[in-house]
Amino acid sequence: MINLYKKSYTYKNKDGEEVNGTRFYLKCGDTLIPIEVTYFDKKDEKGNSLGDSNFKSRKAVLSSYAEILPDKE
């Protein structure tokens, strides 16, 4: 059986502000496998960043299906 889990955490961004984040894991048997949602930074023809308009949506979909990671026993 494979389960999808999430764990919330806080970190400081490059400006020193505290930000909330979410880590995702697959549990296969007794093994936890970390899952990273990748940020695809698109560039225009001049090389300017266009960002990734679907990044938050991809994280939201995973979050909606994930259970909260239980504490270690």
Side-chain angles (χ1 to χ4, degrees), residues 11-67:
Y11 66 97
K12 291 191 179 185
N13 65 13
K14 62 183 178 183
D15 298 326
E17 300 168 342
E18 213 166 86
V19 179
N20 294 324
T22 305
R23 290 193 174 111
F24 296 98
Y25 302 91
L26 284 179
K27 185 169 184 181
C28 301
D30 292 335
T31 304
L32 276 179
I33 302 168
I35 303 296
E36 179 182 355
V37 181
T38 304
Y39 184 86
F40 298 110
D41 190 15
K42 298 174 189 165
K43 308 251 183 209
D44 66 10
E45 61 278 350
K46 294 181 181 179
N48 299 319
S49 176
L50 299 173
D52 182 354
S53 60
N54 293 318
F55 177 73
K56 288 183 180 181
S57 299
R58 291 192 302 274
K59 283 191 81 166
V61 168
L62 276 179
S63 190
S64 70
Y65 285 97
E67 300 174 34

